[in-house]
Amino acid sequence: MQYAWNKFLEVSGSLVNLQDFQNSLKVNQEYSGKLDFSNLKNEINVKNVSFSYGENGILNNINLSIPKNKSVAFVGESGSGKTTLVNLLCGLIPPTSGQILIDDLNLNELNKLQFQQRIGYITQEPVIFNDTIFNNITFWAKRTPENEMRCIEALKKASVYEFVYAQAGKLDTVLGNNGINLSGGQRQRISIARELYKEIDILIMDEATSALDSETERAIQENIDALKGQYTLLTVAHRLSTIRNADTIVLLERGAIKEQGNFSELLERVPKFKKMVQLQEV
Ligand SMILES: Nc1ncnc2c1ncn2[C@@H]1O[C@H](COP(=O)(O)OP(=O)(O)O)[C@@H](O)[C@H]1O
Ligand SMILES: [Mg+2]
């Protein structure tokens, strides 16, 4: 008995540790609702949404409606809350107050994983693997005729099919480390094709900086225009030329929506927007 008791004491400490660890995982676990989500049908509705980090109010009473397959661009000074708003729309962070409705259902109550599977995210610096185009697009899917068709479909939608098929290796062309032999525009198109290969409803592009070369800038504008009407496009834009054709441009100022409208409306009505555009046309 003494022996068994000693053995028990040896492990009981780690038992307590493990329990503490499990509890802390539970406390910080991301909340996911129970409602099944298959796809976006009508619209996303942001209702009186505010968000703060602790005491700091970041977004203040945002109201916005985003119909399916429309393109919405967020503009505003750095720190005005564009990325935070997009993160809320993706369900990455919950609103402090107010609601985000997806087809009239509260985003908080949806199965978050299923919802997020319908979202594609494009960054300015996509990772390109030192592997074939097929693997870069499909993330090493099985090489079946169906998957190949889907890959080709995605390449076409992302306007990079011609480029790929001009290469000797076609889908088997190996892209160098981090796409060393691709231009900025091609790299972005490859990463768009990668997102479109998954079946998604919402495509998000967050331009991290305004430091774009003109080729990439043009490519981004062409991509946005080509995808218009097929996906719900949410763009955080720094270069205003890329969002000339967006259905709605939302101008954020210190966490609130200052104005919204299309490019020419804002140009006419909002002196601040006009100034932003003029400053970039130098
Ligand atoms: N994790 C965080 N914790 C605290 N404050 C943050 C955090 N992330 C962003 N902020 C603050 O929220 C505000 C809005 O940031 P952000 O949404 O990134 O603006 P934008 O994308 O328009 O530049 C900024 O004042 C920023 O400092
Ligand atoms: Mg940002």
Side-chain angles (χ1 to χ4, degrees), residues 53 56 58-59 76-85 206 236 238 252:
Y53 281 113
N56 290 341
I58 306 290
L59 290 174
E77 279 155 21
S78 166
S80 57
K82 304 178 295 291
T83 301
T84 307
L85 182 53
D206 195 339
V236 173
H238 289 268
L252 284 169

Side-chain angles (χ1 to χ4, degrees), residues 178-211:
N178 244 324
I180 199 129
N181 31 19
L182 296 175
S183 72
Q186 285 159 348
R187 208 183 328 221
Q188 222 225 7
R189 288 182 170 136
I190 291 283
S191 93
I192 291 177
R194 181 187 282 165
E195 295 307 304
L196 300 186
Y197 178 80
K198 313 178 211 162
E199 282 165 29
I200 57 164
D201 302 308
I202 302 167
L203 192 61
I204 293 171
M205 300 195 213
D206 195 339
E207 296 175 12
T209 70
S210 53

Side-chain angles (χ1 to χ4, degrees), residues 141-160:
K142 230 171 148 189
R143 196 66 185 259
T144 61
E146 293 81 50
N147 287 344
E148 223 168 85
M149 274 311 295
R150 259 176 77 193
C151 178
I152 289 169
E153 239 1 84
L155 291 168
K156 282 183 179 161
K157 279 191 186 163
S159 319
V160 70

Side-chain angles (χ1 to χ4, degrees), residues 20-148:
D20 283 351
F21 179 57
Q22 275 180 334
N23 284 339
S24 76
L25 283 183
K26 261 190 215 137
V27 168
N28 293 315
Q29 196 173 30
E30 199 185 358
Y31 175 79
S32 171
K34 299 213 163 40
L35 294 178
D36 278 336
F37 181 82
S38 56
N39 64 304
L40 179 65
K41 294 181 186 78
N42 296 309
E43 63 175 350
I44 302 173
N45 243 312
V46 180
K47 287 210 159 139
N48 307 324
V49 162
S50 298
F51 180 80
S52 13
Y53 281 113
E55 299 279 278
N56 290 341
I58 306 290
L59 290 174
N60 184 18
N61 202 32
I62 302 285
N63 283 286
L64 183 66
S65 141
I66 305 172
K68 180 185 161 104
N69 292 350
K70 292 288 176 191
S71 55
V72 178
F74 300 97
V75 301
E77 279 155 21
S78 166
S80 57
K82 304 178 295 291
T83 301
T84 307
L85 182 53
V86 168
N87 288 344
L88 282 161
L89 289 169
C90 296
L92 292 175
I93 44 178
T96 311
S97 66
Q99 292 185 325
I100 296 174
L101 301 176
I102 311 292
D103 295 331
D104 298 328
L105 297 172
N106 194 329
L107 173 52
N108 266 333
E109 278 150 32
L110 296 182
N111 180 318
K112 207 140 283 170
L113 201 64
Q114 289 174 350
F115 175 67
Q116 285 165 353
Q117 270 167 356
R118 307 293 300 184
I119 300 177
Y121 200 95
I122 312 286
T123 63
Q124 226 167 60
E125 280 299 321
V127 178
I128 305 284
F129 299 97
N130 188 12
D131 205 322
T132 63
I133 292 179
F134 180 83
N135 285 341
N136 263 288
I137 303 292
T138 67
F139 276 161
W140 297 272
K142 230 171 148 189
R143 196 66 185 259
T144 61
E146 293 81 50
N147 287 344
E148 223 168 85

